[in-house]
Amino acid sequence: MALTYATRLSFIAFVKAERLPPGMRRALRYVPPAVLAALALPDLVFADGSLLLSPANPRLLAGLLAAIVAWRTRNLWLTIGAGMGLFFLLGQILG
């Protein structure tokens, strides 16, 4: 654990952002959204261990709406509100 932590910390602590090539700096901007997508996507498309890509999946629909709102507005609170609002509404409608 300490070795893994030290390896990651060394990259952050000892490498200045100005010394990185511009292409690498641009690529690093996409790491947080990619990690978030990798963590969230399985919860959106799987239900009870099986793939559920249908309009009957309220998580998927709410996630799609949240993604669209985030893309169009870049407003975190509006994105969370829209996704959670639709998820709650669909939960009431679909049971």
Side-chain angles (χ1 to χ4, degrees), residues 6-29:
T7 304
R8 292 178 185 177
L9 179 64
S10 67
F11 182 72
I12 295 168
F14 300 124
V15 177
K16 300 208 182 301
E18 300 83 34
R19 296 185 69 199
L20 293 174
M24 184 175 226
R25 278 188 273 162
R26 279 193 307 273
L28 286 174
R29 287 191 342 211

Side-chain angles (χ1 to χ4, degrees), residues 25-26 33 38 40 45 76 79 83:
R25 278 188 273 162
R26 279 193 307 273
V45 298
L76 175 66
T79 299

Side-chain angles (χ1 to χ4, degrees), residues 37-73:
L39 291 172
L41 191 64
D43 283 337
L44 297 179
V45 298
F46 286 101
D48 299 325
S50 61
L51 188 63
L52 183 59
L53 297 174
S54 75
N57 183 350
R59 289 180 181 175
L60 180 61
L61 295 176
L64 288 173
L65 176 66
I68 291 168
V69 170
W71 172 57
R72 299 293 290 169
T73 67

